[in-house]
Amino acid sequence: MGTFSWPLQISSMDGRQSLDIVATVDTGAAYTTLPANLLRELGIESMGQRRFLLADGSRTELDYGQAWATIGEDSVVTIVVFGRNDGPSLLGAYTLEGLSLAVDPVEQRLVPAQLIMY
């Protein structure tokens, strides 16, 4: 599957500050990752650190916090990771699942997910 980008809005927990961004959809990334300086400008605070395995096989610890993510008419509180200031914006699986979205790899778009409840 190739990668593609999708627009979303990230907002502070109090909703006072928000930013429209375009992020690379990355279902291999657990969480949405944004440049740390952008998250701090929005007033999003670190809640701690978590360990991550990077695509190159290296391991690192990065700060994480919470923010509102909005795509279309739907919003959800999600975990965001404070990435490198010059790093990419990645829309991760946790946020996609929270918004009930799935990836259509053929059309390279997000579609409503089929939710399963047992």
Side-chain angles (χ1 to χ4, degrees):
M1 173 180 107
T3 61
F4 63 96
S5 298
W6 203 263
L8 76 147
Q9 184 179 77
I10 296 292
S11 304
S12 60
M13 290 301 294
D14 63 11
R16 292 184 184 173
Q17 298 182 63
S18 64
L19 181 64
D20 292 321
I21 62 168
V22 176
T24 299
V25 176
D26 186 354
T27 58
Y31 301 127
T32 294
T33 302
L34 300 168
N37 58 331
L38 290 179
L39 293 174
R40 289 191 177 96
E41 286 174 19
L42 290 173
I44 297 167
E45 297 179 11
S46 172
M47 297 171 55
Q49 289 192 329
R50 293 198 174 156
R51 286 201 253 170
F52 294 93
L53 176 64
L54 302 179
D56 67 2
S58 64
R59 297 179 189 276
T60 189
E61 287 192 12
L62 297 169
D63 288 335
Y64 73 95
Q66 288 184 317
W68 284 99
T70 302
I71 294 179
E73 300 295 317
D74 295 318
S75 297
V76 68
V77 173
T78 193
I79 294 173
V80 291
V81 174
F82 291 70
R84 293 186 334 263
N85 288 339
D86 62 346
S89 296
L90 303 175
L91 177 54
Y94 186 89
T95 303
L96 291 172
E97 289 178 14
L99 290 166
S100 300
L101 293 172
V103 173
D104 175 347
V106 175
E107 297 294 325
Q108 294 193 331
R109 63 188 178 127
L110 298 178
V111 296
Q114 177 71 39
L115 300 176
I116 300 170
M117 183 179 293
Y118 293 96

